[in-house]
Amino acid sequence: MKIAIAYVGPKEFKRDTITGSRQVFPQNKPIEVSEEVAAVLLRFDKVFVEADQIDDVLKAREAKEQARKEAEAKAEEARKKAEAEACMVVTLGGEEIDLNKLTGAQVTTLVESHDLDITKGPQEKVDTFKKRVRDAIRASEAE
């Protein structure tokens, strides 16, 4: 009696070296083999499945790939967001200015010279002040 099984591994085709039959299994195509060979090969459930399970394996693989792509997209979005948060370069009057390269006094002068309505608090750290200035400049650019 013959049983239809399929190779669902990563290669384009798989040669049966386990049972010694040397039969070639194309990826995702059912091939009829004897019961003894099928019993041995089906023990490797990540590589060989019965023919009626091919669709389920392919759907599961597709869902896993989709989840991986979504996770990569989320990670890329988080990376870009973190990169934008870390970037202190702003454009004022057509000129790019890196706020990280300025001292607190220079940032205060910049704010006053461009009539930005921002003042540094008495206990406010310079980095926090620079971020507020950056966010205010970006908000005014967006408008």
Side-chain angles (χ1 to χ4, degrees), residues 83 87 112 126 141:
E83 191 176 280
C87 179
E112 290 173 6
V126 174
E141 286 176 356

Side-chain angles (χ1 to χ4, degrees), residues 1 6 9 13 16 19 23 28 34 39 42 56 61 64 78 81 85 87 89-91 101 104 108 135 140:
M1 184 162 167
F13 64 91
D16 175 18
T19 65
Q23 191 166 3
N28 304 325
S34 67
L42 289 174
D56 296 337
R61 189 178 291 157
K64 187 176 180 179
K81 187 176 180 181
E85 181 65 29
C87 179
V89 177
V90 294
T91 305
K101 294 181 179 179
T108 303
D135 294 341
S140 68

Side-chain angles (χ1 to χ4, degrees), residues 111-125:
V111 167
E112 290 173 6
S113 68
H114 289 297
D115 294 328
L116 300 173
D117 193 27
I118 304 170
T119 55
K120 182 179 179 296
Q123 298 296 318
E124 186 176 21
K125 302 273 186 200

